[in-house]
């Protein structure tokens, strides 16, 4: 009954979305305020309906309703409650429902927080959001309906892939989708602007918070995915250049470019057509990513069960959405007039360089990901494009960009003084030199590229702090004045500083992985392995029952110079329903390095394979990502405050008066 | 002139769509790999036979067109093609030789006792070395080797009546017109 | 459907073992072992599709790791060892595609794009930016106003 309610709500949502995508658009063209106002209510109703559909599917999972095919295929009564709920989006149909749920959430957010938007722009933006919704609701209802039933009910479900039964992976898709789908707002703003034929500073200011928020979510989503593979795969790899990873990384790269180019539009009223194109491409890459993951045209470890008819349907959606918006772009963009002029050496110039390198980086990832498919389609040889390609092609492009991140913010708008900026970075030269020397000394001249990467990180970190010090004129004016300046700095300035510091921290984490050490040994209970100064002793392995698995739980004592550091418990878990074994690693971090222990197989004599890894600075990868996302949030809080001021003041005033009268 | 830059993204996108359409064509399976061993001499092997049937060697098979089927008792898709192999061996006198990939004689015997034995002879590749040399990456795989010992065709995954009629039998006829 | 079934079966058989390089596989000679690890990390595991054989726990990955070590012990160079694997499984096993006419676009496309982008951007910026004509210096009143404006901006 509740399932039918959800199914019906989803169908109703489709019709609401159809209204939302047409009526306001016509209203905006005819300047009919009433028709334009339909957009808001439609967006809110659509959100309510899809939320209802989502909740009813969750209900079916929680109550283990085995008349619903989707529940049979992906759930089991023995599964812990958390994974019953997250299992909803652990499969193709459910994850598509989550996708449109996030889309309607974004539309509802635009509808709610758009008091300061001109009514026509708001109507058009919501109408484009509605069109995207129509496309994906049709896709769900016709090819991937999670509400289909079967009778008689199955005795029990087939369970969920044990690899997916993990807290990290449970919350990875919602963040990732919020990021992907959040870029739909920037896309809708771009399409609306092309229809209106106007892009100005105000437009950029409206788009920016949505782009920033999506970017933050995507950053967190990607970081969670990478962290998950780090602690699950049993040997600590955190990035594989896998097509599915690349599918999330490409929108991130272009989205990052977009955040920077939209600043130029806002402050200097130029780079407009480029920014519009980035808005379109960022969301298009999210859509292409969805297509790649679900159509089965690329081989990937993460791919969902695939089906060519679904692939064709998504391809059709791509043609309509991307083809349509790019056609509009080709027709309308040439009419947009660029504004402010600037010298090549200037803040604008550095942001152009940033955009150029990020776009080329994205194009490289795109080429590497799809090259096997291109060759195959042309009847060429079967090839793999793996990490060596990306390390040789993508990474070198990011080096000049990271160098430029240190200098760019020190350049003035319009016309900058490169020499002056380079002179002010004296602290960065010293820090870089010291870090490189120290790294060479500690690692006895270890891998050159990794040492260089650490130097790059130090350069970036110090340069970003130098920029902040310059802003508050630290040591040039009395400390109290500097402090006052620091307090009055806009939050967006702190946001940028934090995001760039986060990048520096992550770069250090990426680079240091070349210094990893490992020891893989077969040990008897009581035996030990030494690595990087640690003494890792396997005390005993116990068989323990879990909720839906049986675990071999190892008790491992870690000591250093005879002092107990802690006990660690890596496990091997056997899931009888799926007849699969997973490995639960155990990680001990001191934030400077991780000690990573995984339990391998046991042989007939009762000896166990134990894998111990020592990974310096690896936690910094994710700490950096969190700092980056936090910087985005800080910047976001500044924008909202500024944008909201006018409208809030207007609304508050009438209410204040009666209060005073009482 | 300037307009070209604005049309370029659209053009590139449609080129991309073209590739996607080709990749989605039925029968265009990106997962199936061609064999690197095609048109090359089959690697030599000398495998102990099942029970006392004598060893199976590549040298011993030369001079005839043969079909070599890599299979195992633990392999689920092998069960799918098994009845078809039986029928081909009985009705079409298919010169079928089996290589039991990473399996034990006991298991293979149980399998053949239960489902029937389509093979003229079987070699036990317990360590999987022969499979490795052939470039086998999953069982079942089926190779057609001509009288000169050259690999002419490789089938990945279970044979189906369709692939047998359209590909296997015509190839055998072409290689050995007399039979 | 057939391909789906097959890949499912392959995936299942790939799941049985759990981890990458096993202690029993390793060579006593640390130099050879280090070379084996480097080679393994650049060879793709065919049944898992996107992992190197060094990372994969699949049986086939184990077999190829053993093959690599056999060849190294027999005195092959790294290139010969990789070629031995390519002879059996094709170029698909190479995570690093070879540089040949079919991959020129892959290898030279990205640097070419950056070069093109830099030249194009430089050209565009130069054409757009007309260096400002020398302007008369500000008088005292103007300078005061400018100061005030700048302060407002930074606050």
């Amino acid at each position: 009954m509740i399932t039918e309610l959800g199914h019906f709500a989803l169908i109703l949502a489709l019709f609401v979305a159809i209204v939302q995508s047409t009526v306001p658009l016509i209203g905006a063209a005819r300047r009919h305020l009433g028709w334009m106002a339909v957009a808001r209510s439609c967006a809110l109703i659509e959100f309510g309906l899809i939320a209802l559909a989502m909740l009813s599917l969750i209900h079916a999972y929680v109550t283990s309703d085995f008349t619903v095919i989707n529940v049979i295929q992906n759930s089991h009564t023995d599964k812990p409650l958390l994974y019953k709920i997250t299992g909803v989006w652990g499969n193709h149909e459910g994850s598509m429902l989550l996708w449109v749920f996030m889309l309607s959430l974004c539309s509802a957010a635009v509808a709610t927080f758009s008091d300061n938007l001109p009514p026509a722009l708001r109507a058009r933006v919501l109408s484009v959001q509605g069109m995207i919704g129509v496309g994906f609701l049709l896709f769900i209802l016709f090819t991937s309906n999670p509400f289909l039933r079967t009778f008689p009910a199955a005795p029990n479900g087939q369970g969920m892939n044990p690899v997916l039964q993990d807290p990290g992976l449970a919350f990875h898709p919602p963040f990732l989708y919020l990021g992907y789908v959040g870029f739909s707002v920037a896309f809708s703003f771009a399409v609306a602007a092309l229809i209106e034929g106007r892009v100005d500073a105000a437009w950029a200011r409206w788009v920016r918070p949505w782009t920033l928020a999506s970017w933050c979510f995507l950053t967190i989503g990607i970081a969670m995915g990478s962290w998950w593979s780090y602690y699950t795969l049993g040997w600590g790899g955190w990035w594989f250049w896998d097509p599915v990873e690349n599918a999330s990384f490409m929108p991130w790269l272009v989205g990052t470019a977009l955040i920077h180019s939209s600043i130029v539009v806002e402050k200097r009223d130029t780079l407009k057509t480029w920014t519009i194109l980035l808005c379109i491409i960022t969301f298009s890459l999210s859509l292409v990513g969805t297509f790649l993951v679900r159509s089965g045209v690329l081989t990937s470890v993460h791919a969902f069960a695939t089906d060519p008819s679904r692939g064709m349907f998504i391809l059709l959606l791509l043609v309509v959405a991307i083809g349509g918006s790019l056609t509009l772009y080709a027709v309308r963009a040439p009419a947009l007039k660029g504004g402010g002029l600037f010298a090549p050496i200037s803040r604008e110039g550095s942001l152009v360089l940033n955009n150029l390198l990020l776009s080329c980086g994205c194009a490289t990832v795109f080429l590497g990901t799809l090259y096997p498919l291109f060759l195959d389609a042309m009847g060429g040889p079967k090839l793999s494009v793996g990490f060596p390609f990306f390390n040789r092609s993508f990474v070198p492009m990011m080096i000049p960009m990271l160098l430029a991140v240190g200098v760019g913010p020190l350049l003035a708008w319009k016309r900058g003084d490169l020499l002056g900026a380079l002179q002010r970075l004296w602290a960065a030269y010293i820090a870089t030199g010291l870090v490189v020397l120290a790294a060479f000394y500690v690692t006895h001249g270890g891998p050159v590229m990794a040492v260089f990467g650490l130097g790059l990180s130090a350069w970036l970190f110090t340069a970003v702090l130098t920029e902040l010090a310059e802003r508050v004129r630290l040591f040039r004016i009395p400390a109290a004045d500097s402090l006052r300046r620091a307090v009055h700095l806009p939050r967006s300035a702190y946001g940028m500083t934090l995001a760039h510091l986060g990048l520096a921290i992550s770069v250090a984490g990426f680079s240091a992985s070349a210094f990893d050490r490992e020891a893989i040994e077969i040990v008897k209970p009581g035996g030990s392995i030494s690595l990087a100064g640690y003494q890792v002793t396997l005390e005993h392995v116990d068989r323990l029952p879990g909720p839906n698995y049986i675990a071999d739980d190892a008790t491992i004592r870690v000591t250093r110079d005879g002092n107990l550091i802690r006990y660690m418990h890596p496990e091997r878990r056997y899931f009888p329903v799926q007849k699969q074994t997973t490995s639960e690693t155990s990680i001990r971090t001191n934030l400077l390095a991780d000690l990573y222990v995984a339990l391998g197989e046991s042989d007939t004599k009762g000896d166990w394979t134990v894998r111990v890894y020592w990974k310096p600075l690896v936690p910094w990868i994710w700490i950096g990502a969190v700092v980056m996302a936090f910087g985005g949030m800080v910047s976001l809080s500044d924008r909202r405050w500024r944008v909201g001021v006018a409208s809030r003041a207007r609304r508050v005033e009438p209410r204040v008066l009666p209060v005073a009268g009482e | 002139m300037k307009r070209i830059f604005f049309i370029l993204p659209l053009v590139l996108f449609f080129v991309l769509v073209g590739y996607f359409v080709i990749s989605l064509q039925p029968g265009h399976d990106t997962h199936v790999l061609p064999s690197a061993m095609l048109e090359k001499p089959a690697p030599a092997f000398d495998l102990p036979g099942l029970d006392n049937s004598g060893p199976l060697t590549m040298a011993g098979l030369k001079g005839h067109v043969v079909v070599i089927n890599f299979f195992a008792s633990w392999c689920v898709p092998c069960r799918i093609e098994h009845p078809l192999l039986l029928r081909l061996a009985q009705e079409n006198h298919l010169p079928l030789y089996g290589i039991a990939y990473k399996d034990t004689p006991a298991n293979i015997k149980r399998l053949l006792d239960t489902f029937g034995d389509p093979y003229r002879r079987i070699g036990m590749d317990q360590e999987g070395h022969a499979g490795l040399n052939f470039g086998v990456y999953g069982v079942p795989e089926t190779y057609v080797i001509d009288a000169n010992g050259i690999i002419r065709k490789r089938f990945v995954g279970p044979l189906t009546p369709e692939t047998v009629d359209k590909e296997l039998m015509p190839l055998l006829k072409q290689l050995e017109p007399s039979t | 459907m057939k391909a789906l079934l097959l890949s499912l079966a392959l995936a299942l058989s790939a799941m049985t073992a759990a981890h990458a390089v096993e202690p029993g596989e390793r060579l006593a000679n640390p130099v050879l072992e280090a070379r084996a690890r480097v080679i393994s990390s650049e060879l793709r595991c065919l049944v898992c599709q996107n992992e190197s054989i060094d990372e994969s726990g699949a049986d086939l990955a184990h077999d190829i790791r053993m093959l690599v070590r056999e060849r190294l012990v027999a005195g092959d160079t790294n290139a010969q060892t990789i070629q031995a694997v390519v002879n059996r499984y094709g170029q698909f096993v190479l995570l690093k595609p070879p540089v040949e006419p079919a991959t020129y676009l892959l290898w030279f496309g990205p640097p070419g794009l950056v070069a093109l982008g830099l030249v194009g951007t430089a050209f565009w910026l130069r054409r757009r930016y007309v260096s400002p004509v020398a302007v008369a210096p500000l008088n005292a009143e103007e300078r005061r106003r400018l100061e005030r404006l700048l302060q407002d901006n930074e606050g």
Side-chain angles (χ1 to χ4, degrees):
Chain A
M1 169 55 201
I2 289 179
T3 305
E4 273 64 43
L5 208 65
H7 196 168
F8 181 67
L10 203 62
I11 297 170
L12 205 58
L14 172 66
F15 287 102
V16 175
I18 291 173
V19 175
Q20 184 188 335
S21 57
T22 47
V23 174
L25 204 60
I26 300 168
R30 298 198 177 156
R31 298 172 195 285
H32 192 298
L33 275 175
W35 285 38
M36 289 193 236
V38 169
R40 264 185 140 162
S41 26
C42 275
L44 294 173
I45 295 169
E46 193 193 335
F47 169 65
L49 288 170
I50 296 176
L52 191 66
M54 193 78 204
L55 284 174
S56 62
L57 188 61
I58 292 175
H59 177 265
Y61 267 81
V62 171
T63 58
S64 291
D65 181 350
F66 293 126
T67 59
V68 179
I69 296 174
N70 192 255
V71 181
I72 300 173
Q73 285 171 343
N74 301 293
S75 198
H76 193 276
T77 43
D78 286 348
K79 216 161 61 165
L81 182 66
L82 173 69
Y83 301 126
K84 280 183 182 162
I85 296 173
T86 63
V88 171
W89 54 77
N91 61 85
H92 167 75
E93 289 82 2
S95 69
M96 285 316 298
L97 187 61
L98 181 70
W99 206 98
V100 290
F101 172 71
M102 294 297 186
L103 182 74
S104 66
L105 179 69
C106 291
S107 306
V110 174
T112 311
F113 302 109
S114 58
D115 283 342
N116 54 345
L117 236 55
L121 181 63
R122 179 170 66 216
R124 286 183 172 126
V125 168
L126 287 174
S127 163
V128 178
Q129 290 284 111
M131 291 180 205
I132 303 167
V134 171
F136 278 90
L137 285 168
L138 281 173
F139 176 69
I140 292 178
L141 288 169
F142 283 108
T143 72
S144 320
N145 194 331
F147 294 112
L148 297 182
R149 295 236 195 208
T150 179
F151 289 103
N156 210 332
Q158 294 160 6
M160 178 162 84
N161 186 342
V163 178
L164 302 180
Q165 298 188 29
D166 178 279
L169 209 61
F171 297 105
H172 158 70
F175 275 99
L176 203 61
Y177 287 5
L178 210 48
Y180 276 165
V181 175
F183 283 122
S184 71
V185 179
F187 173 85
S188 299
F189 265 97
V191 173
L194 284 172
I195 295 174
E196 293 192 348
R198 205 182 59 199
V199 177
D200 51 18
W203 178 87
R205 211 156 34 230
W206 288 316
V207 180
R208 205 170 142 70
W210 301 103
T211 318
L212 261 176
S214 320
W215 179 87
C216 292
F217 285 121
L218 192 57
T219 306
I220 295 288
I222 295 173
M224 278 176 101
S226 136
W227 186 50
W228 169 80
S229 57
Y230 170 70
Y231 70 72
T232 0
L233 292 185
W235 55 276
W238 40 267
W239 192 260
F240 303 90
W241 298 105
D242 180 84
V244 173
E245 288 170 338
N246 293 348
S248 62
F249 190 45
M250 289 188 280
W252 188 86
L253 285 170
V254 187
T256 309
L258 173 59
I259 290 175
H260 290 86
S261 82
S262 68
I263 300 174
V264 182
V265 179
E266 184 191 334
K267 302 248 180 191
R268 301 280 303 130
D269 201 34
T270 188
L271 292 189
K272 290 177 188 176
T273 52
W274 172 247
T275 303
I276 291 276
L277 185 62
L278 285 181
C279 285
I280 295 175
I281 289 180
T282 309
F283 184 58
S284 300
L285 284 171
S286 305
L287 291 178
V288 170
T290 310
F291 169 77
L292 291 180
V293 176
R294 289 156 204 279
S295 65
V297 296
L298 286 178
T299 50
S300 157
V301 266
H302 307 275
F304 285 90
T306 55
D307 174 351
S309 70
R310 284 175 187 163
M312 232 24 197
F313 201 118
I314 304 186
L315 190 57
L316 205 68
L317 285 182
L318 293 193
V319 170
V320 174
I322 307 176
S325 55
L326 287 179
T327 308
L328 194 63
Y329 178 80
V331 175
R332 302 297 295 257
L336 295 172
K337 283 276 167 285
L341 298 178
F342 55 89
I345 302 288
S346 61
R347 183 78 68 83
E348 294 94 319
S350 71
L351 289 169
V352 168
L353 181 68
N354 149 303
N355 268 241
L356 175 72
L357 291 171
L358 283 172
S359 312
C360 287
C362 177
T364 304
V365 177
F366 190 81
L367 192 67
T369 310
L370 289 173
Y371 206 76
L373 185 126
F374 293 153
L375 269 188
D376 193 54
M378 309 227 295
K382 288 263 186 185
L383 284 181
S384 305
V385 179
F387 76 94
F389 166 78
F390 295 99
N391 285 355
R392 282 171 176 78
S393 295
F394 175 80
V395 174
M397 266 181 225
M398 292 300 112
I399 292 170
M401 200 199 65
L402 293 173
L403 286 173
V405 172
V407 186
L410 285 166
L411 295 176
W413 292 101
K414 286 191 193 178
R415 172 168 258 229
D417 174 12
L418 185 61
L419 214 62
L422 291 177
Q423 279 168 358
R424 280 179 285 168
L425 284 169
W426 53 270
Y429 303 124
I430 297 174
T432 311
L434 286 178
V435 165
V436 168
L437 286 178
F440 255 110
Y441 178 73
V442 172
T443 62
H444 310 292
V448 177
M449 282 312 287
V451 170
F452 179 71
L454 287 181
L456 204 55
S457 163
W459 157 262
L460 193 51
F461 199 90
T462 331
V464 170
L465 289 181
T466 304
E467 195 268 342
L468 188 66
E470 287 282 325
R471 265 186 198 250
V472 301
R473 305 221 181 131
L474 193 65
F475 307 130
R476 298 207 184 157
I477 55 175
D481 289 348
S482 280
L483 190 67
R484 201 168 52 241
R485 276 177 161 267
V487 171
H488 288 291
L489 269 188
R491 291 222 190 145
S492 61
Y494 281 115
M496 178 193 80
T497 303
L498 280 169
H500 288 176
L501 286 179
L503 182 63
I505 295 170
S506 289
V507 168
F510 302 149
S511 310
S513 58
F515 306 127
D516 286 358
R517 282 194 231 157
E518 61 167 38
I520 305 167
E521 307 283 350
I522 297 175
V523 286
K524 292 184 195 314
S528 64
I529 301 172
S530 29
L531 181 76
Y534 292 97
Q535 198 70 16
V536 176
T537 311
L538 176 70
E539 301 227 304
H540 47 86
V541 180
D542 307 299
R543 181 146 291 186
L544 302 174
N548 53 345
Y549 58 83
I550 303 155
D552 282 324
D553 174 281
T555 300
I556 284 176
R557 194 180 65 231
V558 181
T559 55
R560 186 172 192 134
D561 305 327
N563 304 317
L564 178 71
I565 304 283
R566 69 173 281 184
Y567 283 95
M568 293 171 78
H569 290 273
E571 284 185 357
R572 283 173 70 79
R573 292 181 180 170
Y574 177 69
F575 290 77
V577 176
Q578 295 86 358
K579 299 192 172 51
Q580 271 187 39
T581 305
T582 67
S583 171
E584 288 291 306
T585 57
S586 179
I587 299 166
R588 186 251 174 195
T589 184
N590 59 8
L591 296 183
L592 281 176
D594 279 7
L595 190 68
Y596 182 111
V597 184
L599 187 64
E601 294 181 343
S602 70
D603 60 14
T604 43
K605 292 177 288 180
D607 300 347
W608 292 84
T609 301
V610 176
R611 289 152 195 280
V612 186
Y613 301 86
W614 179 74
K615 293 174 175 288
L617 298 193
V618 75
W620 290 23
I621 295 173
W622 302 290
I623 294 173
V626 170
V627 173
M628 263 190 262
F630 180 65
M633 302 280 181
V634 169
S635 185
L636 195 60
S637 68
D638 173 47
R639 294 291 153 184
R640 197 171 51 201
W641 184 75
R642 256 173 63 186
V643 169
V645 168
S647 56
R648 198 180 307 158
R650 218 184 312 124
R651 255 191 299 169
V652 166
E653 250 171 309
R655 248 187 270 155
V656 171
L657 287 175
V659 171
E662 272 170 17
Chain B
M1 171 57 204
K2 203 183 149 200
R3 272 201 115 81
I4 290 178
F5 291 105
F6 293 97
I7 298 170
L8 197 62
L10 187 65
V11 174
L12 287 176
F13 172 68
F14 276 106
V15 171
L16 184 67
V17 169
Y19 280 115
F20 284 161
V21 169
I22 296 174
S23 306
L24 281 177
Q25 289 313 305
H28 190 102
D29 194 336
T30 45
H31 303 258
V32 172
L33 297 172
S35 171
M37 303 290 292
L38 275 185
E39 308 302 330
K40 285 186 194 162
F45 56 83
D46 183 353
L47 300 169
L50 192 62
D51 289 341
N52 36 24
S53 58
L56 182 71
T57 65
M58 191 55 230
L61 293 175
K62 261 191 196 151
H64 304 282
V65 176
V66 292
V67 178
I68 294 184
N69 177 246
F70 283 85
F71 72 107
S73 65
W74 45 263
C75 145
V76 184
C78 298
R79 300 278 166 89
I80 301 173
E81 67 172 5
H82 201 87
L84 183 65
L85 294 180
L86 272 175
R87 207 193 69 207
L88 287 172
Q90 283 160 7
E91 294 173 13
N92 303 52
H93 305 290
L94 189 74
L96 184 67
Y97 293 83
I99 294 184
Y101 180 69
K102 294 194 174 177
D103 214 334
T104 61
N107 281 340
I108 292 295
K109 266 215 304 258
R110 201 175 315 133
L111 172 84
L112 299 181
D113 287 348
T114 320
F115 295 102
D117 182 358
Y119 305 106
R120 293 196 178 173
R121 218 155 66 222
I122 291 172
M124 295 303 302
D125 185 22
Q126 295 206 36
E127 296 293 312
H129 281 299
L132 196 62
N133 288 334
F134 267 85
V136 168
Y137 65 86
V139 276
E141 281 191 20
T142 309
Y143 293 80
V144 178
I145 298 169
D146 70 13
N148 298 321
I150 308 288
I151 297 179
R152 301 300 292 265
K153 181 80 189 166
R154 173 210 209 184
F155 297 93
V156 174
L159 291 172
T160 62
E162 199 191 351
T163 50
V164 167
D165 288 346
K166 284 196 182 144
E167 298 177 54
L168 180 63
M169 295 322 284
L171 179 65
L172 288 176
K173 227 167 233 137
Q174 177 207 328
L175 291 176
E176 210 163 1
S178 55
T179 49
Chain C
M1 183 56 210
K2 180 191 84 182
L4 200 78
L5 206 76
L6 175 68
S7 52
L8 191 78
L10 288 176
L12 286 179
S13 57
M15 288 281 183
T16 50
H19 280 307
V21 66
E22 294 288 335
E25 296 173 358
R26 280 180 310 197
L27 300 174
N29 180 337
V31 180
L32 283 188
E33 176 60 23
R35 277 171 60 197
R37 294 300 295 275
V38 171
I39 293 173
S40 304
S41 74
E42 298 206 348
L43 291 176
R44 179 178 191 154
C45 161
L46 293 118
V47 289
C48 8
Q49 302 287 13
N50 248 316
E51 280 177 299
S52 76
I53 58 167
D54 194 53
E55 300 154 9
S56 169
D59 276 349
L60 182 64
H62 162 83
D63 290 349
I64 301 177
R65 284 198 295 268
M66 295 312 286
L67 174 70
V68 165
R69 285 168 173 78
E70 267 169 35
R71 303 301 298 230
L72 288 177
V73 170
D76 277 10
T77 63
N78 287 15
Q80 285 168 330
T81 307
I82 291 174
Q83 192 55 43
V85 181
V86 171
N87 283 343
R88 288 169 172 77
Y89 291 98
Q91 287 185 342
F92 188 76
V93 293
L94 299 175
L95 282 171
K96 180 182 155 214
V99 181
E100 55 181 34
T103 58
Y104 282 168
L105 182 63
L106 177 71
W107 284 109
F108 304 120
L113 192 65
V114 172
L116 205 71
L118 282 176
V119 171
T121 312
F123 185 70
W124 173 69
L125 285 179
R126 267 181 65 97
R127 232 184 42 171
R128 258 182 105 245
Y129 181 68
V130 189
S131 46
V133 203
V135 281
L138 304 177
N139 63 32
E141 165 62 17
E142 283 169 337
R143 205 170 297 138
R144 263 199 305 281
R145 273 179 58 198
L146 181 66
E147 286 279 276
R148 231 181 4 252
L149 281 172
L150 282 176
Q151 264 172 7
D152 286 354
N153 247 356
E154 283 182 9

